[in-house]
Amino acid sequence: VFYVLRALFKADRPSFAIHLVHGMKPSSWSNNEWSVFTGRMRATSVSAQLSSNTLPTWASSSPERKIACATLMEYCSNLMDSIDFNNDDWTKWINSEKCEDSFPAFRQQGRVSPSAVERLLLVQALRSDRLMTAIHKYCCDELSVHSLTPSSTGLEELWNEARKSKVPVLFLTTSGTDPGKELEDYAKKSSWD
């Protein structure tokens, strides 16, 4: 995983990781959750969905939130029916600086807290400002890694790694970057010709 993550731009790593996790563990996502998460499913009627399940003012303050909540109510109704939005814990959650770290308990018997995927869906719908952090946390947990940002690798470490496994090294650079000088310096230091 780290070899691929090394080659990706920082902004693309969460997207790659979420698709990797979904591909490796598709059973973690129930029927419509992946389609809702990726935006392939949207509420057919926002007003019909929201009229039957009135949201508190903090959850319906923006049109985007209304659409996201209506989508969850339509396609992930079990999740939305399990939540007592009028509970003070949910009001605290919506105002929390790190909402992705703690979720209030469900009101439905037998369910204590939302699954990892349900947490992602809730953050996406109600706190989209924290979505990238929630994706990062979810992917790290599922992949059992500490971070999606691999440590930077120096030429010496890269050379030693490639030499042991006899794997060629491919440099992918962006415009304005040139590893030529660093390669030349390392070659002189290593007594290459």
Side-chain angles (χ1 to χ4, degrees):
V1 173
F2 284 119
Y3 294 113
V4 175
L5 290 173
R6 244 187 236 164
L8 296 174
F9 289 116
K10 186 178 181 180
D12 296 331
R13 290 175 185 155
S15 180
F16 166 77
I18 194 82
H19 280 84
L20 177 65
V21 169
H22 179 257
M24 290 171 57
K25 300 179 180 185
S27 60
S28 297
W29 299 75
S30 69
N31 299 333
N32 297 322
E33 289 173 339
W34 181 252
S35 294
V36 168
F37 183 75
T38 57
R40 287 186 287 179
M41 287 184 159
R42 300 216 20 134
T44 53
S45 172
V46 175
S47 58
Q49 293 299 324
L50 295 179
S51 63
S52 61
N53 294 316
T54 307
L55 295 175
T57 53
W58 60 259
S60 58
S61 59
S62 73
E64 295 85 17
R65 239 186 230 168
K66 285 181 182 179
I67 293 168
C69 287
T71 301
L72 283 180
M73 286 177 186
E74 185 171 339
Y75 297 109
C76 303
S77 59
N78 289 343
L79 169 63
M80 297 304 277
D81 290 342
S82 301
I83 298 172
D84 181 6
F85 284 116
N86 294 316
N87 183 326
D88 287 339
D89 291 339
W90 282 98
T91 305
K92 290 176 191 169
W93 178 82
I94 199 73
N95 294 316
S96 171
E97 285 185 30
K98 293 186 176 185
C99 65
E100 67 280 356
D101 289 339
S102 62
F103 283 79
F106 280 2
R107 68 176 173 208
Q108 187 179 31
Q109 289 182 340
R111 288 192 73 183
V112 178
S113 63
S115 70
V117 171
E118 290 171 334
R119 286 186 214 127
L120 268 181
L121 291 169
L122 288 169
V123 170
Q124 182 184 41
L126 301 171
R127 285 293 306 274
S128 57
D129 61 311
R130 301 297 302 167
L131 183 59
M132 292 310 288
T133 307
I135 290 172
H136 189 274
K137 180 179 177 10
Y138 170 76
C139 291
C140 286
D141 290 346
E142 293 296 313
L143 295 171
S144 300
V145 296
H146 295 294
S147 175
L148 297 180
T149 306
S151 60
S152 60
T153 305
L155 276 179
E156 187 171 353
E157 182 182 342
L158 188 61
W159 170 250
N160 290 334
E161 194 175 301
R163 192 171 62 187
K164 285 178 195 172
S165 60
K166 297 183 180 177
V167 175
V169 176
L170 173 66
F171 288 95
L172 300 175
T173 62
T174 58
S175 60
T177 60
D178 180 13
K181 178 69 174 145
E182 192 177 354
L183 279 169
E184 186 178 328
D185 292 345
Y186 183 69
K188 287 178 185 174
K189 178 180 146 190
S190 301
S191 302
W192 291 352
D193 289 325

